[in-house]
Amino acid sequence: MLDLRRLRYFLTVAEELHFGRAALRLHLAQPPLTRQISALEAELGFRLFDRTSRTVSLTAQGRHFLPYARAVLEQVDLTQVMAGKLAKGCAGQLALGYASSIALSDLFSQAIQAFAQRFPDVQLTLVEGASVSQWSQIVDGRIDIGMGRMRPPCEQSEIQALSLGDEPLVAAISSDSPLAAQDQVTLAELSEHPLILFPADYGSGLNEAIEQLYRRNSLPLRPGPSGRQITSIIALVAAGQGIALVPRCTQTLAKKGVTYRPLTDPGATAQLLVLTRRQGRSQLVEAFMGVLDELLQAQPETAGR
C-alpha cells in the first residue's frame, strides 16, 4: 500500500519543482525529503522527477501519475472531514416516516427544509406509511422518526410518542352538495352521508380520530368507499362518492368539485404525533427533534397546519 505521507511529499515537490522550497513548505530538511521521494520511486518502479543541479521536472510517468496521487489525497481529506462530521452528529442518514395527510402540513415541510439547510451532509429519506406501520419500522430500525396521528399501545413501550398539537378537522364535500352552500356544517349533518375513510386494515390514526368523534357524539357512521392516500380520498369526494373529514392542511389540495367547510362541533381535531425510539436515539434524531421544537416555539398556534 502506498504511503500517504510520501504521496503528499511528491505532490508538494511537483507543485514547487524545487526540493528546497518543497522542504520549507513541509517543514523538513531537504535530505530527508529527497530520501522519501527516492523511496517512493523505488516503490512505484519508475522515476517521478528528472533532476539536475539546477532544475527539477516531472518525468512523463510522473506527469501521468500526478492527477491520481492528487485524487487519492483529496479523497483522504474528504474522508477525514466526513469522519469528523459523523463524530459530531451532523452527517449520515435519517429515515423519516409520515402519514399521507401529514405531508400537507406546513410544519412537516418547514421541518424538512430547516433540517436540510442546517445539516446538508445528511441524507434524508422519506417513507410514507400509516401510523400503525410506523411503529414496527421504528422498533426494527427501518425508520428513525415517525410522524403520525395514533399513539402506540402500552405494550409498545419502546416507542415514545410526543404530541406536536391538534389540528382542526374540516369537511370535504362535493361542490354540488347543498352542504357546500353553508358556511359551516355539523357532524350530525355529515352523518347522513357516506363517509370516505382509509381502508380498515390500513392502520390510520386519522380513521381512529374520526371514528372516536362519531362515537362521542353518538352518531352513526355510514361507511363509504375508501382510499389509501389523502389525494385519492379527495378524488372520491370530487366524484360524488361521499364526504370526508380531513385535517385542515388538506385544503391545500384545491381539487375541482370539492368544497371544504369547517365543523361546528368542538373536539373535531386530529392530533399530530412524532414517534421515536425511547432509548438510544441518535444525534441526528435529537437534531431533528430540536428543529421541530424550534418551529413549534416560533409558531405555537400553527402546529400541524
Side-chain angles (χ1 to χ4, degrees):
M1 182 178 293
L2 291 175
D3 188 320
L4 294 178
R5 181 186 56 173
R6 288 174 179 170
L7 286 181
R8 292 192 187 280
Y9 291 168
F10 162 62
L11 186 60
T12 304
V13 176
E15 291 171 349
E16 295 291 342
L17 292 178
H18 192 285
F19 275 80
R21 290 194 299 269
L24 287 174
R25 274 181 57 184
L26 294 166
H27 306 290
L28 286 175
Q30 185 171 333
L33 175 59
T34 301
R35 288 195 295 271
Q36 291 295 332
I37 293 297
S38 296
L40 178 60
E41 290 175 326
E43 185 177 8
L44 294 172
F46 56 83
R47 286 187 304 109
L48 294 166
F49 298 100
D50 286 324
R51 286 162 273 189
T52 69
S53 58
R54 293 188 176 183
T55 64
V56 176
S57 60
L58 284 162
T59 64
Q61 294 98 324
R63 286 193 301 272
H64 191 73
F65 180 67
L66 178 60
Y68 293 95
R70 183 177 285 117
V72 168
L73 294 173
E74 287 175 350
Q75 189 60 49
V76 168
D77 291 340
L78 287 173
T79 301
Q80 290 176 331
V81 169
M82 182 56 66
K85 290 180 177 180
L86 287 167
K88 294 177 182 177
C90 55
Q93 296 181 332
L94 186 72
L96 174 63
Y98 65 96
S100 67
S101 65
I102 289 174
L104 302 172
S105 160
D106 286 345
L107 180 63
F108 181 77
S109 55
Q110 289 168 2
I112 291 173
Q113 181 181 36
F115 184 81
Q117 290 174 345
R118 194 170 302 179
F119 300 95
D121 294 310
V122 174
Q123 180 182 342
L124 186 61
T125 302
L126 301 180
V127 181
E128 184 178 326
S131 297
V132 171
S133 67
Q134 291 180 30
W135 303 341
S136 60
Q137 292 180 78
I138 289 171
V139 170
D140 64 24
R142 282 177 288 165
I143 63 174
D144 303 293
I145 302 173
M147 296 183 74
R149 299 191 186 275
M150 191 193 309
R151 290 186 178 274
C154 295
E155 56 266 26
Q156 297 231 279
S157 58
E158 60 268 63
I159 301 175
Q160 183 177 52
L162 298 175
S163 175
L164 301 180
D166 292 326
E167 182 177 6
L169 294 173
V170 298
I173 306 165
S174 174
S175 297
D176 58 8
S177 167
L179 292 177
Q182 301 177 193
D183 291 334
Q184 55 188 7
V185 295
T186 68
L187 196 64
E189 291 172 321
L190 297 177
S191 67
E192 298 177 3
H193 300 268
L195 182 64
I196 302 168
L197 295 166
F198 290 96
D201 63 353
Y202 187 60
S204 166
L206 185 58
N207 273 18
E208 182 184 63
I210 293 169
E211 290 164 1
Q212 288 179 355
L213 179 63
Y214 271 72
R215 284 196 296 270
R216 285 199 306 269
N217 288 273
S218 301
L219 291 169
L221 190 157
R222 294 179 56 193
S226 61
R228 301 188 74 84
Q229 303 282 336
I230 197 72
T231 50
S232 58
I233 287 175
I234 296 303
L236 287 168
V237 172
Q241 299 304 298
I243 59 98
L245 290 179
V246 293
R248 185 163 57 188
C249 63
T250 311
Q251 294 178 119
T252 58
L253 293 176
K255 176 74 173 173
K256 183 179 179 181
V258 176
T259 299
Y260 297 97
R261 288 292 180 259
L263 290 169
T264 60
D265 304 78
T269 61
Q271 62 184 338
L272 174 56
L273 301 170
V274 60
L275 309 167
T276 65
R277 286 183 287 276
R278 192 175 296 277
Q279 302 292 335
R281 297 197 320 199
S282 71
Q283 290 175 290
L284 289 178
V285 170
E286 297 291 354
F288 192 88
M289 297 292 285
V291 168
L292 285 173
D293 186 57
E294 290 175 16
L295 290 170
L296 289 173
Q297 290 187 30
Q299 299 177 323
E301 295 181 357
T302 59
R305 295 183 188 176

